[in-house]
Amino acid sequence: MNSSPSHRSSVVVAELGPTNTGKTHRAIERMLEHETGIIGLPLRLLAREVYDRVTARVGEGRVALMTGEEKRVPARPDYWICTVEAMPTDRPVDFLAVDEIQLAAHRERGHVFTDRLLHARGLKETWFLGAETMRPMVQSLIPQASLKRATRLSQLRYAGHRSLKSLPPRSAVVAFSADRVYELAEALRRLRGGVAVVLGALSPRTRNAQVAMYQAGEVQYLVATDAIGMGLNLDLNHVAFAALSKFDGTEPRELFSDELAQIAGRAGRHLNDGSFATLNTLPELSPRVVSAIESHRFPAVRSLIWRNASLDFSSPESLLDSLSQAPRHNAFVRVERADDFDALRHLSSVPAIRDVATDRARVELLWQVCQVPDFRKGLFGLHVSLLRETFLQLTAGDGKLESGWLSRQVSPLDDVSGDIHTLMDRLAAIRIWTYISHRPGWLHEAEAWQERTRRIEDALGDALHERLVERFVQRAARRSARRFVRNTAQPAAGSDSPFAKLGLLLGEVAGTDGAALTEEQFVQRVVDATHDAFQVDASGIISFEGEPLARLVRGKDRRSPQVALVESEVWTGGARRQLERRLVALARDLVTEAMGGFPAESFAGADRSGAARGLAYRLAEGLGVISQAEAREQWRLLDEEARERFRTLGVREGQRFLYVAEALTPHALERRCMLMALLHQRPSPPGVPGEPVLEVAALEGRDARAFGYEVLGGVALRIDVAERLGEALRQPQGGRQVHALMQELRLEGGLHRRILRELGGPTAGAPAKRRRRRRGARPSAPAAVPGGAKGPPAHAGGPRSPRKAGDGGGSSGA
């Protein structure tokens, strides 16, 4: 690997400072100002949190989540939220960010962060976020980077010794082993009545449920490992250390002052001050350490962990040699040890593997197998044996893993019985098979295995969360079995309320084993559901699996509908929080559909011209459609490059409107009318948006353009039809097309001529030659007047597109 950094990015920014400075928030905002982006984060849980925030802004249809265990990739994502290891480095994006870059000095993970510092770049802009201690290294390795100093938004103060009994509400106790975490959680439960638990070894599903329970206020205390130290945004006022040393993978050692600060800094979010302390079983922190933490001053990082990325796959020995290569830059220290390297060294000595790994393709495959993570962290020999069998199967027969062998490995893990430790062991094991199931080309029926391993992992995660709740949360504070049991009266039989079936749903929905779903299981089904799983009708009722779940309600404007859960008292606080997050993202998707997918946020950056920002804002406000009078001046001020960018995003210059082409499809118009109905708190006018032409009176005095219509010649013509007529009038041979469109609209002659005149073509579209009526012949019956036509095409002349999944609205939009 060339140790000099890449220079593909036009701008490189390094924003360095302590915790609670808003660095990650600013990076997210900046990413959304670009059309495409990737952000790499240090923890799976933090990646999920950022994913939730981004999808609540732009919808799930535009955002991918990539971690070692979770992959949510829509058809055409614009933004990728990833752990640093899972970043798709071969995907070109405008903006790229890496968070917590001081981890480049981490003994085990550091080489990945170092590689991203050296080589990961966005096409237009790159941001590196981390501690101030990285300033000298960034200056040395990336001299062209613009360095910014971030200051903490709140004060952090030392509170001395604390006993568990004296901890204030909204406190976290931090330990560095699972056994110690459980011991402290049990003690806090006895003293305070309930506690949430967060460990790195928990599945994402379990951790999300525990964090949601704490964030919703169901419990006031959290016991965690140092996993909460990496940017996780929790409502913490106080952090108490239960230990000041930890096992770092090689040996026990004392925590460095900057590591203590990283964890203590989780206390006090935004403008709220925070405090940190040690439990009274520990000695007090020294004044020097306290001063360093409170003032955020620590020794600079002087070396980074590095591993050669230019690998030689000609043989296993050559691969080992290239991985062992020493760095050529004095700022780098070669990684001491790594599981994948140790596995490769061991497997390379096995005769059966040496006999097979004789060409480049087989050696590359061997390296891929060695990189299967050992989530169990048990006896390394057992993991290497698993890797050996995996490689030999992949290089024999048809090159796939044997289904019978896979089943024998996976089936014993499909068991939710046992205590917390047993469930955690099974979770760690199934995570290996989940990882393997996603390796391309390794399995027969890979999708079926992915579904099976995920189902087992989800079931184990739910069971583990239940055990944690049962053990560490007093049952009196929660519903007895956390099943779907309504606290309110059941709806009367025969009720026609759209929510009347909810009470029945809460006791009838069954899981895969036939038993009633727990609250967590049902909520997770909703959280994991794709856009297609929801139905949204014209009045904004959101249904899931055929039953009403929530409704959209009026927001500050039509682009900001809010979500109200059906019978919100049915859910616990943590469940409400998760459901609302998912449904807010769904609401953003619905608004995006109404706008024809136009990414207005990508024009918000300060580097965009005022005309481009203003035009994008107007298009967003108009849900993808604005009049030429509104757009003309800003469009004129754009340079040709900016105009072309708008065009590539689907923006078209019509005769009367500047519009996003997809915003005039039937589906988008239905979404537009739904949003207008929510804003006005009354149904859309009859016939909107299905009828291509309406009497003006049918709009009941409401703004025609807001519903996708334009008043022309005394009638309201749907904008897509008006634009097609206007486009035909521009064409030298468009008369026949205009005539055909007007016949479809079934307008009487006077209206016909007035509409064409207002569109700029008073005679265009009329038949080329007018026949003289014979004397005595009866005149033909006049065409129907708008509103009285029978059977006109529902979307005459309108752009046709397949109906999108998840749409529950009727074609009339009423």
Side-chain angles (χ1 to χ4, degrees):
M1 181 188 73
N2 183 356
S3 60
S4 62
S6 303
H7 295 283
R8 291 177 289 144
S9 178
S10 57
V11 175
V12 179
V13 174
E15 188 164 352
L16 308 175
T19 56
N20 193 27
T21 59
K23 299 187 297 291
T24 306
H25 170 76
R26 286 188 290 275
I28 294 168
E29 293 297 311
R30 185 59 177 158
M31 179 179 72
L32 294 178
E33 293 173 3
H34 290 271
E35 287 184 43
T36 58
I38 291 174
I39 184 167
L41 300 149
L43 289 177
R44 296 184 295 270
L45 192 54
L46 178 58
R48 182 62 196 233
E49 178 188 318
V50 172
Y51 172 79
D52 290 347
R53 288 173 57 188
V54 174
T55 55
R57 287 277 300 278
V58 303
E60 292 202 351
R62 297 181 60 196
V63 190
L65 174 67
M66 289 280 288
T67 73
E69 299 162 63
E70 282 187 286
K71 291 179 176 63
R72 295 174 66 90
V73 183
R76 291 183 297 277
D78 295 322
Y79 305 110
W80 294 74
I81 314 301
C82 314
T83 49
V84 173
E85 287 84 351
M87 292 174 70
T89 53
D90 58 345
R91 177 174 291 273
V93 291
D94 293 335
F95 178 89
L96 183 143
V98 181
D99 199 9
E100 306 289 4
I101 58 170
Q102 72 275 7
L103 286 176
H106 190 274
R107 177 179 295 180
E108 295 179 5
R109 302 178 65 195
H111 66 91
V112 179
F113 285 78
T114 300
D115 181 78
R116 302 296 183 260
L117 273 173
L118 294 175
H119 300 297
R121 298 291 186 271
L123 297 175
K124 296 180 180 178
E125 194 167 2
T126 303
W127 279 30
F128 294 118
L129 317 172
E132 180 68 25
T133 55
M134 285 293 291
R135 182 174 292 269
M137 295 304 302
V138 173
Q139 288 174 325
S140 172
L141 297 174
I142 318 174
Q144 79 276 20
S146 171
L147 273 69
K148 298 181 179 180
R149 179 175 280 107
T151 57
R152 187 174 166 91
L153 299 174
S154 63
Q155 296 295 314
L156 186 62
R157 292 286 180 259
Y158 182 51
H161 269 120
R162 287 274 192 177
S163 66
L164 284 179
K165 190 174 183 179
S166 67
L167 288 178
R170 313 309 288 171
S171 289
V173 181
V174 178
F176 300 98
S177 72
D179 288 341
R180 181 62 171 147
V181 165
Y182 295 143
E183 178 187 335
L184 290 163
E186 180 64 30
L188 266 176
R189 184 196 65 79
R190 291 195 300 266
L191 290 168
R192 297 295 190 178
V195 61
V197 173
V198 175
L199 302 91
L202 298 181
S203 71
R205 190 177 178 109
T206 309
R207 291 196 309 272
N208 293 344
Q210 290 285 306
V211 168
M213 187 172 66
Y214 173 81
Q215 289 291 86
E218 294 181 54
V219 294
Q220 294 295 317
Y221 299 91
L222 180 74
V223 183
T225 61
D226 54 343
I228 68 167
M230 289 298 160
L232 204 59
N233 290 311
L234 296 167
D235 297 329
L236 289 174
N237 296 329
H238 181 77
V239 169
F241 288 94
L244 298 175
S245 63
K246 72 172 187 176
F247 183 77
D248 65 0
T250 303
E251 59 186 3
R253 65 167 176 83
E254 295 295 312
L255 290 163
F256 300 121
S257 56
D258 59 335
E259 292 175 312
L260 292 169
Q262 186 74 33
I263 300 167
R266 295 302 113 200
R269 304 309 302 156
H270 195 51
L271 300 178
N272 298 322
D273 292 342
S275 59
F276 64 101
T278 56
L279 292 185
N280 54 12
T281 55
L282 298 175
E284 290 221 28
L285 295 174
S286 70
R288 180 182 59 81
V289 171
V290 170
S291 175
I293 295 174
E294 290 183 340
S295 61
H296 321 297
R297 294 181 180 177
F298 309 100
V301 172
R302 295 300 179 186
S303 60
L304 305 182
I305 304 300
W306 177 89
R307 183 161 78 177
N308 184 22
S310 299
L311 302 181
D312 183 353
F313 293 105
S314 58
S315 70
E317 293 76 16
S318 298
L319 178 57
L320 283 167
D321 289 343
S322 61
L323 284 165
S324 302
Q325 182 177 319
R328 297 190 181 96
H329 196 295
N330 59 12
F332 301 140
V333 175
R334 188 180 63 197
V335 60
E336 292 181 12
R337 66 159 303 276
D339 286 348
D340 52 7
F341 180 86
D342 292 344
L344 176 65
R345 184 170 55 188
H346 183 93
L347 293 178
S348 297
S349 66
V350 176
I353 289 180
R354 283 205 309 270
D355 292 342
V356 174
T358 56
D359 57 45
R360 180 180 180 85
R362 294 288 178 85
V363 176
E364 285 192 39
L365 177 61
L366 176 61
W367 181 230
Q368 292 171 9
V369 170
C370 289
Q371 291 179 301
V372 173
D374 181 15
F375 293 113
R376 293 174 294 189
K377 299 298 182 185
L379 295 174
F380 189 64
L382 292 176
H383 185 65
V384 170
S385 296
L386 173 65
L387 300 184
R388 174 183 177 277
E389 181 63 24
T390 300
F391 178 73
L392 291 176
Q393 286 195 33
L394 291 173
T395 53
D398 61 1
K400 308 277 188 181
L401 296 179
E402 297 174 4
S403 297
W405 178 76
L406 275 172
S407 185
R408 289 193 296 274
Q409 308 301 315
V410 170
S411 294
L413 305 175
D414 193 2
D415 180 0
V416 296
S417 64
D419 60 14
I420 289 173
H421 292 285
T422 301
L423 292 172
M424 287 187 66
D425 288 343
R426 291 194 194 117
L427 263 173
I430 196 63
R431 284 165 63 185
I432 296 174
W433 298 107
T434 300
Y435 180 95
I436 288 175
S437 72
H438 282 89
R439 298 301 302 175
W442 285 18
L443 283 75
H444 294 285
E445 301 178 342
E447 290 186 3
W449 281 106
Q450 290 166 13
E451 175 61 29
R452 183 177 179 185
T453 56
R454 176 168 179 170
R455 178 185 59 77
I456 294 172
E457 186 175 337
D458 288 349
L460 289 170
D462 291 337
L464 178 56
H465 177 64
E466 281 291 304
R467 300 295 192 282
L468 292 171
V469 169
E470 289 170 1
R471 179 170 171 182
F472 300 125
V473 181
Q474 282 191 354
R475 305 303 296 171
R478 303 175 64 81
R479 284 175 289 171
S480 58
R482 292 185 57 74
R483 301 277 169 177
F484 284 116
V485 179
R486 282 195 55 183
N487 297 325
T488 55
Q490 294 289 334
S495 169
D496 60 358
S497 164
F499 310 131
K501 288 188 178 180
L502 181 69
L504 302 177
L505 170 71
L506 302 185
E508 292 177 357
V509 178
T512 55
D513 59 357
L517 286 175
T518 64
E519 180 183 77
E520 285 83 6
Q521 289 171 329
F522 181 81
V523 168
Q524 200 64 45
R525 281 171 67 167
V526 176
V527 169
D528 291 340
T530 63
H531 188 73
D532 302 5
F534 299 92
Q535 303 83 43
V536 185
D537 68 17
S539 62
I541 301 298
I542 301 172
S543 297
F544 178 72
E545 297 181 346
E547 298 295 341
L549 178 63
R551 65 180 183 275
L552 296 173
V553 296
R554 180 179 180 175
K556 63 180 181 180
D557 54 43
R558 61 181 176 177
R559 290 197 300 135
S560 308
Q562 302 301 302
V563 173
L565 287 173
V566 169
E567 306 279 7
S568 61
E569 70 275 8
V570 167
W571 314 102
T572 59
R576 280 198 303 274
R577 184 183 181 90
Q578 290 181 285
L579 288 171
E580 288 168 352
R581 199 289 309 164
R582 176 62 186 96
L583 296 175
V584 165
L586 174 68
R588 298 290 86 77
D589 280 330
L590 299 174
V591 174
T592 299
E593 289 174 5
M595 294 169 56
F598 180 70
E601 300 87 356
S602 65
F603 288 90
D607 57 335
R608 312 295 185 193
S609 70
R613 293 199 303 271
L615 190 60
Y617 175 79
R618 285 179 180 272
L619 277 168
E621 287 291 296
L623 295 179
V625 182
I626 54 176
S627 69
Q628 283 286 7
E630 293 178 277
R632 189 173 295 113
E633 181 61 21
Q634 288 171 324
W635 185 260
R636 184 185 66 80
L637 292 173
L638 296 177
D639 57 31
E640 189 53 39
E641 181 182 355
R643 288 197 192 111
E644 188 57 32
R645 183 158 175 266
F646 274 96
R647 292 185 185 114
T648 60
L649 293 172
V651 177
R652 302 289 180 262
E653 302 167 73
Q655 180 174 341
R656 302 180 72 85
F657 295 91
L658 188 77
Y659 61 92
V660 180
E662 289 293 314
L664 295 183
T665 61
H667 179 78
L669 291 171
E670 288 170 3
R671 293 299 189 220
R672 168 187 286 267
C673 292
M674 179 195 73
L675 295 173
M676 288 304 301
L678 291 173
L679 184 66
H680 291 163
Q681 297 183 295
R682 55 189 290 204
S684 299
V688 171
E691 298 293 341
V693 59
L694 295 169
E695 292 180 342
V696 174
L699 295 174
E700 303 168 345
R702 288 186 268 182
D703 181 11
R705 288 182 180 176
F707 289 93
Y709 286 77
E710 176 77 333
V711 176
L712 292 167
V715 295
L717 197 62
R718 211 173 54 217
I719 289 175
D720 62 303
V721 179
E723 282 298 334
R724 290 196 66 182
L725 281 169
E727 181 62 28
L729 288 169
R730 292 181 179 182
Q731 306 302 320
Q733 306 299 322
R736 190 177 301 276
Q737 182 182 357
V738 171
H739 183 59
L741 283 170
M742 298 304 283
Q743 281 190 319
E744 280 191 80
L745 297 176
R746 301 188 182 184
L747 299 174
E748 56 89 16
L751 286 175
H752 178 129
R753 288 189 290 274
R754 288 201 300 273
I755 288 173
L756 293 182
R757 189 176 300 115
E758 291 196 35
L759 286 172
T763 60
K769 186 173 181 180
R770 192 179 185 87
R771 292 185 179 181
R772 180 178 298 175
R773 183 165 56 86
R774 290 183 307 210
R775 182 178 299 177
R778 296 182 61 185
S780 59
V785 178
K790 293 186 178 180
H795 294 279
R800 299 189 181 276
S801 67
R803 190 174 182 82
K804 297 187 180 180
D807 172 29
S811 62
S812 68

